[in-house]
Amino acid sequence: MIKLTNVSKDYPTKAGWRRVLSNIDLTINPGERVGILGRNGAGKSTLIRLISGAEPPTLGTIERNMSVSWPLAFTGGFHGTLTGADNVRFVCRIYGVDFEPRFQFVREFSDLGIYLNEPVATYSSGMRARLAFAISMTIDFDCYLIDEVMAVGDERFRERCRVELFEKRKDKAMLIVSHSHRYLKGNCDRFLLFRDGTVEEHKDFEEVYFRYKASLGEGFATKEQMVAAMQ
C-alpha cells in the first residue's frame, strides 16, 4: 500500500511561493491502476515525483509499503558521460541484481544496437527514452509510475511497451498520467482529476472525463454528447 496523508507541495517562483498540491489524501492498494487527468500545471507530474521519492513533500507524509518504480522513461537520472551499457550496470548495482541477463534484455528491447556502447549524452531524446523504459522493465516493482510513457518511440515500439507493461505486469499497481481517454479508460479502474491543487476521485470514467474537459473550457452540454464524440 502507498498512503499519502495531508500532502502539500510548494515551489518558489519570482512572484513568491506557489502551492501546486494542497492537502492530498490518497491510498493506492496492490494491483490497482489509477488514471490521472488534469490540465498542464495541475500537479500530475508533481504527484508522480513525490510518490517516487524524487522530491519530498512540503507538508504531510507519504508511506510506501510497496516497492515503487521511478517514473517510466524518466531520463534525468542518467549519467551522460557513461554509455548506455554502463548506465544499466549502475542501476543493477543500486538494486543488487545481476547485470548480464538484464543487459541482454535492455539490448534486445531498446533496439539501440551499437549505441548502447556510446555515451548517453550523445543520444537523441527518443533514444534516451527507449533506454529508460527498457531499464525500468529490468527491475520488478510492486507499483509502476507512468507519465505519458506510451508516447515513446514508433508504433511498433509502443506496442512492445504495452505488452511488456500491461500484459506481463497486469497484477502490479500503476499510476498513469495521460491525456488520452482511450489509454486511461482501457487500462485503469480508478480515476483522479487534478484541479486547483486538489484531487477529485471518480470510479466512472465518463464522469471524470466530462469534468476534465469542462476544466479545459472544452466542456460538452451533456455526457451523452461527450461519449458520442469519443467514439
Side-chain angles (χ1 to χ4, degrees):
M1 181 180 72
I2 299 170
K3 186 176 182 180
L4 285 72
T5 304
N6 295 325
V7 167
S8 297
K9 182 63 179 180
D10 301 338
Y11 288 104
T13 71
K14 291 182 178 179
W17 286 89
R18 176 173 177 260
R19 177 148 293 184
V20 176
L21 297 177
S22 180
N23 300 319
I24 304 300
D25 291 315
L26 177 65
T27 299
I28 302 154
N29 296 304
E32 289 184 327
R33 294 186 179 183
V34 183
I36 300 175
L37 283 162
R39 65 190 307 162
N40 290 337
K44 307 182 301 297
S45 296
T46 297
L47 179 72
I48 292 291
R49 291 195 297 273
L50 294 180
I51 292 176
S52 74
E55 298 181 16
T58 304
L59 298 170
T61 60
I62 302 176
E63 301 174 45
R64 303 175 188 85
N65 296 314
M66 298 189 289
S67 60
V68 182
S69 77
W70 55 84
L72 299 197
F74 174 69
T75 62
F78 284 145
H79 291 258
T81 58
L82 298 181
T83 67
D86 286 337
N87 274 278
V88 177
R89 185 176 285 104
F90 180 72
V91 170
C92 288
R93 286 178 178 171
I94 290 176
Y95 286 92
V97 296
D98 292 337
F99 166 73
E100 193 57 38
R102 287 161 179 82
F103 176 69
Q104 294 302 325
F105 172 85
V106 169
R107 182 168 61 183
E108 294 172 8
F109 192 90
S110 68
D111 201 26
L112 289 173
I114 62 173
Y115 293 103
L116 276 174
N117 294 314
E118 297 296 327
V120 169
T122 66
Y123 287 14
S124 67
S125 59
M127 292 168 67
R128 290 168 68 98
R130 289 164 75 101
L131 176 65
F133 186 90
I135 292 177
S136 299
M137 294 297 98
T138 65
I139 308 297
D140 188 36
F141 294 104
D142 298 319
C143 180
Y144 287 88
L145 307 178
I146 306 163
D147 196 346
E148 292 286 5
V149 68
M150 301 308 281
V152 173
D154 56 24
E155 185 62 34
R156 183 177 69 90
F157 187 75
R158 288 196 294 271
E159 175 60 16
R160 292 171 67 189
C161 292
R162 186 194 67 79
V163 171
E164 192 67 35
L165 186 58
F166 294 116
E167 293 187 12
K168 296 185 179 180
R169 292 167 175 77
K170 60 185 179 181
D171 60 331
K172 304 296 186 180
M174 298 182 188
L175 270 74
I176 305 173
V177 174
S178 180
H179 295 285
S180 168
H181 65 270
R182 292 186 178 87
Y183 185 40
L184 291 177
K185 185 177 182 180
N187 292 301
C188 299
D189 46 41
R190 291 173 60 190
F191 304 96
L192 305 178
L193 175 61
F194 281 62
R195 185 161 52 184
D196 300 325
T198 62
V199 175
E200 302 173 11
E201 179 164 359
H202 301 268
K203 294 291 289 186
D204 177 61
F205 177 77
E206 278 72 25
E207 177 65 24
V208 72
Y209 199 69
F210 182 75
R211 292 173 178 265
Y212 165 63
K213 296 298 282 187
S215 74
L216 297 177
E218 304 172 4
F220 294 85
T222 65
K223 281 198 289 184
E224 289 73 18
Q225 288 183 359
M226 181 196 71
V227 172
M230 289 164 56
Q231 302 300 321

